[in-house]
Amino acid sequence: MAKGNTRHTKKNTDTSAGSLKTFFTGNTTHYITGLILLMLAIYASFALISFLFTGAADQSRIEGLSLFYFGSVDGITNWTGTRGAILSSLLMNDGFGVSTLFLLLFVVFIALRLMKARYFNLFRNFIICTLLTIWSSVTLSFFFGSFFADTALYIGGKHGLIISKSLINDIGLPGTFLLLLFVFIVLMTVLNANTISFLQNLTKRSPRESRIEAQKVSTNILEPDTDEEDEEEDDILIEPDAVPTAETPEEFVIEVPPDEPYTPQPQSGRPSFVPPVDHNNRQQDSEEDISSDLVQQFGLYDPTLELAHYELPSLDLLQKYDLGNTQVNDEEQRDNKTRIKQTLANYNIEIKTIKATVGPTITLYEIVPQDGVRISKIRNLEDDIALSLAAIGIRIIAPMPGKGTIGIEVPNKEPKIVSMHSIIGSRKFQESTFDLPIALGKTITNEVFMVDLCKMPHLLVAGATGQGKSVGLNAAITSLLYKKHPAELKFVLIDPKMVEFSIYSVIEKHFLAKLPDSENPIITDFTKVIYTLNSLTKEMDDRYALLQKAGSRNVKEYNEKFINRRLNPEKGHKYMPYIVVIIDEFGDLIMTAGKEIELPIARIAQKARAIGIHMIIATQRPTTNIITGTIKANFPARVAFRVTSMIDSRTILDGPGANQLIGRGDLLFFQGSDMTRVQCAFVDTPEVDKISKFIGNQPGYPTAFELPEYTGDESDDKPGSVDLSNLDPMFDDAARLIVSMQQGSTSLLQRKFEIGFNRAGRLMDQLEAANIVGAGRGSKAREVLIVDEVHLEQILNNLHQR
């Protein structure tokens, strides 16, 4: 029993100690303490200033009274009353005189530090204020003490008066003056390292230069500390292990001062440094002179001059869809609002406010729950709210980023079409300064949603079949065609389906890029795809070589130099247009060619940003064997249309959300940690056809933009190469066994088919060459690259058709 009481007493003691510790270390206590100190410092300052004018009249009335005298005295003229008159007399006459203001300034520093208003190095400022107080007290008494000898005011306080008289008696007036001057110089040297150089050059400088240097020395003596705080310094009333609680959030203030213009100071009196003659600089100066002469003679280089009469597509080519009644259905919104509140109330969840934001296809309801309601409790009611509203695609955002609300996205009963005409004709698109603007559609708040492909710098698009991927790609291409000149932009269109991008073949001589020997501007053959991607890597390396030669960091700087005629075309320099690579079905390429496709794509995605090559790849199979870790790492910007499972959503967005979309262009744009729901702009095939023909009917370049020639590796002629045209009779059965067992083992083939090691090894080599299994890993089984038999049968059919 006694032992239990001891435990209870110890627990209460620990609780009391913890509460006391929290009280003294909390932000509220610090703020109130700092506010009290600030008020006291201001009050004492007013009392000191008033004492300079009213001290003589009040001296006889407060003589003999202590600071703890709580009575009132009649006839006090000090601005701060009896208490202020007594306090100012103690600080002024019995203390350090007017120099006491330096100590009050340090009290202000402490107050602001506790209130988290400004951060000061208290240790440094304490030393500064103390030394200035002592020195100025003695100096004021030495120079001005005789003027106040017949008054009741000690300008330097009794401290300064006693020390100055002692110094005068000991070392005389000259000695005291020299000592005070010496202490002043030492103080300035400690506070500012430029003092020594100022004194060294004082006799060699003109008066104007001396004033400039004096201003430089006298700055930042009592300014807030901008360096890192000393390790031995402790916060006032703050323990090292104090952690701010959620009830008292700590305010973190960072002030960034504006940059001051750099003005070089004159260096008279010092030997000037003469840089050695650099012939390269001479050559560079001469080239700049030549470029200036060329600009004056011919003007800036115009990359669009060859197609000077090119016209951008007009808005008339895009269709205006009849939206019917565009007014908000108030009855629907009120009905949904009532059902949401009723559903939450059934689970004892009360809300303070609810707000509806109506978009083209989605309405966002922002609710503020009552205090004490857990967010997870509302998030778990997603299916119940969907059941109550009889709607699909309900998505709960808890909490809303940057807001103190919880968002519930509900599809509208009558969704509206977001036309490409409304996007291209918007002021935001027309006044955009993006290098490669891509207009995707409209957000829930009916705002035009645009992104800059140069800043992303690559885009991954994924979604199930029929959910709007191809329309999204057409919207991206259309927005670029409406903004860029053929000299500024080239497309590399890869279409394994053979039908999606064929409509753009008429703009071959304006916007498309291809291999020199390629007849079709739209790449559809798998071998041509591999060659084209490797050709782009060669183009990337060539551009980097030109950037290095020109001393530029990116294609924008390089083109700016070329336009200003600072780069010589005879040395290989040329204007570099942006190249946008668009792949419609990336998954089909991976299943067919595997690493031969993934490796050049990964290399381009890793390095090609600076030289103006950007990629947009789309797939309808967002699985981990298609969207690998290498692809995800190099495609930070992603667009997710509706998918069928949460696993696919996590593969694209690293989280759920895409499986809750309603389809028909409903998408989520993800970049970094931001996720935005957008209704994709709809551009129909006839509209794209009109735009392509409008561009194709204008005069174009003689040929399409030619990529560097790529011949490929002649690995088939080397000894030990695998000939897939002469497959083993058991190849199909071996492939099906490996895929079904998901185990790439030679011993497995030996056991199941009762064959020897040599034949099993040849079978495994053929499976590797067909990208069904990965490379050998020693004693470990090979990685199986195909996950289901449907894809395997497609690969086998392609192999037998060769």
Side-chain angles (χ1 to χ4, degrees):
M1 188 71 177
K3 190 174 182 179
N5 292 334
T6 304
R7 288 180 180 176
H8 184 71
T9 303
K10 183 177 180 180
K11 183 177 181 180
N12 291 338
T13 305
D14 294 341
T15 304
S16 301
S19 302
L20 191 64
K21 178 180 178 181
T22 303
F23 174 77
F24 282 107
T25 58
N27 284 343
T28 304
T29 304
H30 291 167
Y31 189 87
I32 294 176
T33 304
L35 188 61
I36 293 173
L37 290 177
L38 182 62
M39 296 298 105
L40 290 176
I42 295 175
Y43 178 81
S45 300
F46 275 111
L48 284 176
I49 296 173
S50 177
F51 187 84
L52 296 175
F53 307 100
T54 63
D58 296 338
Q59 193 66 25
S60 59
R61 294 182 175 85
I62 62 174
E63 187 174 2
L65 299 180
S66 67
L67 187 62
F68 300 100
Y69 174 76
F70 294 102
S72 60
V73 179
D74 297 333
I76 296 297
T77 58
N78 193 288
W79 302 340
T80 53
T82 304
R83 194 70 47 221
I86 298 174
L87 176 64
S88 59
S89 177
L90 292 175
L91 296 176
M92 184 73 74
N93 288 341
D94 298 338
F96 296 94
V98 178
S99 304
T100 309
L101 291 173
F102 287 112
L103 295 180
L104 295 179
L105 180 62
F106 178 69
V107 175
V108 172
F109 291 163
I110 297 176
L112 295 178
R113 176 69 177 271
L114 287 173
M115 296 169 65
K116 307 295 184 184
R118 293 289 295 273
Y119 283 85
F120 294 92
N121 189 329
L122 297 182
F123 178 78
R124 177 175 179 268
N125 287 314
F126 172 75
I127 298 298
I128 294 173
C129 292
T130 302
L131 294 178
L132 287 176
T133 300
I134 296 173
W135 176 84
S136 60
S137 173
V138 178
T139 302
L140 289 174
S141 297
F142 176 75
F143 285 103
F144 305 104
S146 58
F147 294 100
F148 297 91
D150 298 331
T151 66
L153 174 64
Y154 296 140
I155 190 66
K158 288 185 178 180
H159 167 270
L161 181 64
I162 294 173
I163 294 180
S164 62
K165 285 184 177 181
S166 300
L167 291 176
I168 293 173
N169 292 333
D170 290 341
I171 57 179
L173 291 174
T176 304
F177 173 78
L178 293 176
L179 178 61
L180 291 175
L181 179 62
F182 170 76
V183 174
F184 173 75
I185 294 174
V186 171
L187 281 175
M188 295 302 297
T189 303
V190 172
L191 296 178
N192 197 309
N194 295 322
T195 304
I196 297 176
S197 60
F198 164 72
L199 295 175
Q200 289 175 344
N201 300 302
L202 185 63
T203 58
K204 299 180 181 180
R205 291 181 178 271
S206 63
R208 178 178 177 277
E209 295 170 343
S210 299
R211 287 196 301 272
I212 294 175
E213 188 68 24
Q215 290 179 354
K216 184 178 178 181
V217 171
S218 60
T219 56
N220 294 331
I221 293 179
L222 285 175
E223 292 184 359
D225 182 38
T226 57
D227 299 329
E228 295 182 357
E229 298 179 353
D230 298 330
E231 293 182 358
E232 68 266 16
E233 179 191 357
D234 294 330
D235 294 341
I236 304 300
L237 297 177
I238 299 179
E239 297 184 5
D241 57 349
V243 179
T245 62
E247 298 178 355
T248 58
E250 182 180 357
E251 183 182 1
F252 181 61
V253 180
I254 298 178
E255 294 186 2
V256 181
D259 294 334
E260 298 180 359
Y262 171 72
T263 54
Q265 299 291 336
Q267 298 293 330
S268 59
R270 294 183 181 179
S272 58
F273 172 74
V274 179
V277 178
D278 189 351
H279 298 286
N280 292 330
N281 289 340
R282 280 187 176 181
Q283 182 179 0
Q284 184 177 0
D285 294 339
S286 63
E287 290 180 356
E288 291 181 357
D289 294 338
I290 294 174
S291 65
S292 300
D293 295 339
L294 290 174
V295 171
Q296 292 179 0
Q297 184 177 358
F298 301 103
L300 297 176
Y301 173 76
D302 185 7
T304 66
L305 188 60
E306 191 172 351
L307 298 181
H309 300 289
Y310 174 81
E311 295 181 4
L312 293 173
S314 62
L315 282 175
D316 298 336
L317 302 174
L318 295 172
Q319 184 176 351
K320 292 183 180 179
Y321 290 93
D322 185 13
L323 301 180
N325 185 11
T326 58
Q327 295 182 354
V328 177
N329 190 342
D330 294 334
E331 182 180 354
E332 178 185 351
Q333 310 309 324
R334 287 194 296 268
D335 187 29
N336 289 341
K337 171 185 173 181
T338 303
R339 292 185 179 183
I340 291 174
K341 294 180 65 175
Q342 182 63 38
T343 303
L344 295 177
N346 292 338
Y347 294 91
N348 298 324
I349 299 177
E350 300 294 333
I351 60 176
K352 295 180 180 178
T353 60
I354 182 168
K355 171 187 174 184
T357 303
V358 183
T361 57
I362 300 295
T363 298
L364 173 65
Y365 296 89
E366 296 183 61
I367 64 174
V368 179
Q370 292 286 353
D371 298 337
V373 177
R374 292 182 177 272
I375 294 178
S376 59
K377 191 174 181 181
I378 299 178
R379 190 187 293 115
N380 294 333
L381 297 177
E382 191 171 70
D383 295 335
D384 299 277
I385 296 175
L387 178 62
S388 174
L389 298 177
I392 61 172
I394 299 291
R395 195 168 76 102
I396 294 181
I397 309 172
M400 292 284 292
K403 299 181 180 180
T405 60
I406 296 175
I408 302 177
E409 295 176 348
V410 181
N412 297 334
K413 292 182 179 179
E414 297 180 0
K416 299 178 176 60
I417 298 176
V418 177
S419 65
M420 200 68 194
H421 184 280
S422 64
I423 302 297
I424 300 297
S426 64
R427 176 179 295 181
K428 184 174 183 180
F429 182 84
Q430 295 296 329
E431 298 178 356
S432 171
T433 58
F434 290 165
D435 293 323
L436 291 177
I438 293 180
L440 290 177
K442 289 187 177 181
T443 62
I444 294 178
T445 57
N446 277 310
E447 296 180 357
V448 175
F449 185 78
M450 292 178 56
V451 291
D452 189 356
L453 185 59
C454 285
K455 295 181 180 179
M456 285 194 281
H458 310 288
L459 181 62
L460 172 64
V461 182
T465 303
Q467 302 303 321
K469 293 189 308 302
S470 298
V471 174
L473 294 180
N474 287 329
I477 296 174
T478 301
S479 57
L480 291 174
L481 292 178
Y482 266 88
K483 204 69 175 177
K484 308 302 290 185
H485 189 275
E488 301 172 322
L489 174 66
K490 300 297 177 184
F491 289 103
V492 176
L493 301 180
I494 299 175
D495 183 16
K497 297 180 183 177
M498 303 183 185
V499 294
E500 293 294 342
F501 291 151
S502 59
I503 198 170
Y504 295 105
S505 58
V506 295
I507 62 173
E508 172 186 355
K509 296 182 179 180
H510 298 81
F511 283 100
L512 299 188
K514 64 177 185 177
L515 293 173
D517 59 344
S518 179
E519 296 180 0
N520 189 359
I522 311 299
I523 298 99
T524 58
D525 183 71
F526 295 110
T527 305
K528 292 290 185 181
V529 172
I530 297 173
Y531 283 12
T532 301
L533 292 175
N534 284 280
S535 176
L536 284 170
T537 61
K538 191 174 186 302
E539 173 74 12
M540 177 182 67
D541 295 335
D542 294 343
R543 288 193 172 195
Y544 267 116
L546 291 178
L547 257 66
Q548 183 182 15
K549 191 186 300 184
S552 302
R553 295 180 301 173
N554 52 57
V555 69
K556 194 171 183 179
E557 293 182 6
Y558 178 89
N559 286 338
E560 183 179 353
K561 289 183 178 180
F562 192 85
I563 290 174
N564 287 277
R565 300 186 184 276
R566 294 170 58 187
L567 301 176
N568 190 351
E570 296 180 356
K571 296 183 178 180
H573 293 291
K574 59 183 178 181
Y575 184 84
M576 296 183 187
Y578 288 103
I579 298 177
V580 178
V581 184
I582 302 179
I583 304 176
D584 183 46
E585 186 44 64
F586 175 67
D588 192 27
L589 297 178
I590 289 293
M591 287 190 299
T592 305
K595 296 295 183 181
E596 292 182 272
I597 293 291
E598 184 178 357
L599 292 179
I601 286 179
R603 188 161 180 261
I604 293 172
Q606 288 170 353
K607 293 182 57 179
R609 174 180 185 175
I611 45 87
I613 300 179
H614 305 275
M615 302 191 72
I616 302 176
I617 63 175
T619 180
Q620 63 183 7
R621 296 195 68 255
T623 55
T624 54
N625 63 324
I626 302 297
I627 304 177
T628 61
T630 304
I631 296 298
K632 291 179 65 174
N634 294 292
F635 285 78
R638 303 163 199 167
V639 169
F641 290 87
R642 186 185 181 188
V643 295
T644 56
S645 66
M646 185 180 295
I647 297 176
D648 293 344
S649 177
R650 292 186 183 278
T651 304
I652 310 169
L653 304 175
D654 298 326
N659 57 312
Q660 299 167 320
L661 301 176
I662 61 174
R664 298 179 60 86
D666 190 17
L667 64 89
L668 288 173
F669 178 81
F670 174 80
Q671 186 172 17
S673 58
D674 299 330
M675 191 178 298
T676 307
R677 192 166 186 175
V678 180
Q679 177 60 39
C680 183
F682 178 70
V683 53
D684 204 359
T685 302
E687 300 174 70
V688 178
D689 186 46
K690 290 180 182 179
I691 297 171
S692 300
K693 289 181 178 179
F694 176 84
I695 297 174
N697 291 333
Q698 300 185 53
Y701 296 103
T703 60
F705 184 84
E706 292 188 352
L707 298 174
E709 186 176 1
Y710 178 78
T711 57
D713 298 329
E714 303 297 335
S715 59
D716 292 340
D717 298 335
K718 296 180 180 179
S721 61
V722 179
D723 185 10
L724 292 180
S725 62
N726 186 19
L727 296 175
D728 190 284
M730 301 183 67
F731 177 83
D732 291 2
D733 295 333
R736 294 186 182 96
L737 174 66
I738 292 295
V739 172
S740 62
M741 300 293 292
Q742 286 294 303
Q743 181 181 356
S745 171
T746 305
S747 60
L748 176 65
L749 297 179
Q750 290 180 264
R751 294 195 309 271
K752 294 295 182 180
F753 297 118
E754 297 181 354
I755 58 177
F757 177 79
N758 293 335
R759 187 177 183 184
R762 286 194 301 269
L763 278 171
M764 194 58 68
D765 292 338
Q766 292 178 357
L767 292 171
E768 179 184 356
N771 292 310
I772 296 175
V773 298
R777 298 184 296 180
S779 58
K780 295 183 179 179
R782 294 172 182 254
E783 179 185 4
V784 181
L785 304 180
I786 306 300
V787 296
D788 53 55
E789 296 183 359
V790 176
H791 302 147
L792 174 63
E793 294 299 330
Q794 184 179 1
I795 293 176
L796 295 179
N797 292 333
N798 292 335
L799 289 175
H800 293 314
Q801 290 174 3
R802 292 187 176 183

